[in-house]
Structure formats: structure tokens, C-alpha cells
Amino acid sequence: MKKLVSLLALCALCIGAVAMVTACGSKPAKKSVWKVTTATSRRGNQAPEVTKPEDQYICFHSDGMAYYTEKENGKLVARKMGLYRMDAKEKTMLIGAQDYSYTLEKNSLTLTYSYSDPNDSSRNYSSISVCTLVTSPTEKEIKAIVKNR
């Protein structure tokens, strides 16, 4: 009987450890570049607007800065979004002065942002960006674009 209780306790401990590792440690890696595949935004009481951007990227650079990159006139242009900080436990990140919540599943990242004005609901805004991890452009290429700007 003691062996059975010990075995059950060990199983519970292993299951708990696996749950903690998979639930708490997941955040986008530094040096990662994400292509925005779908962007949904909504202002006030308007219907949501869904777009499928062709060449928009978010880079979490190893220098602690997040960059937004898009193609303009056939050329990639990168802009600093601001320093970023991520909280894997809460699934939130701060980029510049903007708070986002996120979900990360394998190579898919979903960023959600919302703003509510308690005095004027027509100013309320929300956006959801679905992104896919890419290998090109690289963080190094994006940093070079910012430097040469």
C-alpha cells in the first residue's frame, strides 16, 4: 500500500512539473522575427476590419528593442516600436508604452491590444495581430535597415 501511495505521489509530482514547464515558460524568443499574417482592428462600435498584410514584420531584437518593419515602395522600412519586456507567466508584454497580451503556440504568435476610454466609447480601440515565425528577414537585416535610415 505504501508503494502505491508513493507511486501516485511521484506521478502527481511529475504531472505537476510538466504542467508548470509547459504553461509558464513560453514567450517569443529574442532575435525572433514574426510576419503579421492577419490583423483585425476595431474602433468604437464599428464592425471589425480584417486585413491580410503582405510584408509586415515584428522583430524582438536581442538589443531589447522591438521593431516594426513593412514594405514601402518595394523596399523594407523598419521603425523602432520601443523597448520590450515580456512576462511569460501572465502572457503579457510591454512594447514602448503599449501593453499587449499574447498567446504563443509553436510558430504562431497572437498579440492583442485594447484601449478603453471610460468617457467616450467611440474612442475605444482593439487590435489582434496573428503572426508566424519567419527566418527572413533576420534581426540583423532589420537592425541594418534601421541604421541606414
Side-chain angles (χ1 to χ4, degrees):
M1 186 68 170
K2 283 184 177 180
K3 285 185 179 183
L4 180 61
V5 170
S6 295
L7 183 60
L8 289 173
L10 182 61
C11 286
L13 180 65
C14 289
I15 290 170
V18 168
M20 288 290 286
V21 168
T22 57
C24 296
S26 183
K27 63 182 178 182
K30 285 186 175 185
K31 299 185 179 183
S32 62
V33 179
W34 300 83
K35 181 180 174 110
V36 179
T37 55
T38 305
T40 305
S41 61
R42 181 178 190 150
R43 285 197 186 280
N45 297 326
Q46 297 175 355
E49 181 182 327
V50 179
T51 59
K52 300 224 180 253
E54 285 189 35
D55 291 301
Q56 292 182 356
Y57 304 90
I58 298 170
C59 172
F60 297 107
H61 200 280
S62 58
D63 67 3
M65 191 69 65
Y67 297 95
Y68 172 76
T69 307
E70 67 181 331
K71 199 171 263 190
E72 289 180 2
N73 300 322
K75 203 172 141 180
L76 281 178
V77 176
R79 295 175 181 84
K80 289 181 182 179
M81 294 173 71
L83 292 171
Y84 67 91
R85 187 176 63 233
M86 297 183 203
D87 183 336
K89 184 177 178 186
E90 298 295 323
K91 301 288 188 214
T92 59
M93 69 175 71
L94 180 68
I95 302 176
Q98 305 289 334
D99 281 310
Y100 295 84
S101 60
Y102 72 88
T103 57
L104 179 64
E105 295 177 13
K106 296 185 183 180
N107 292 334
S108 179
L109 171 68
T110 302
L111 292 171
T112 305
Y113 169 77
S114 62
Y115 168 79
S116 296
D117 185 331
N119 300 316
D120 184 359
S121 64
S122 69
R123 294 185 51 178
N124 293 353
Y125 177 80
S126 65
S127 71
I128 300 171
S129 298
V130 179
C131 310
T132 302
L133 185 64
V134 295
T135 55
S136 179
T138 65
E139 72 149 352
K140 193 174 185 178
E141 292 168 333
I142 290 172
K143 182 73 174 210
I145 293 167
V146 172
K147 259 187 182 175
N148 294 328
R149 202 167 167 219

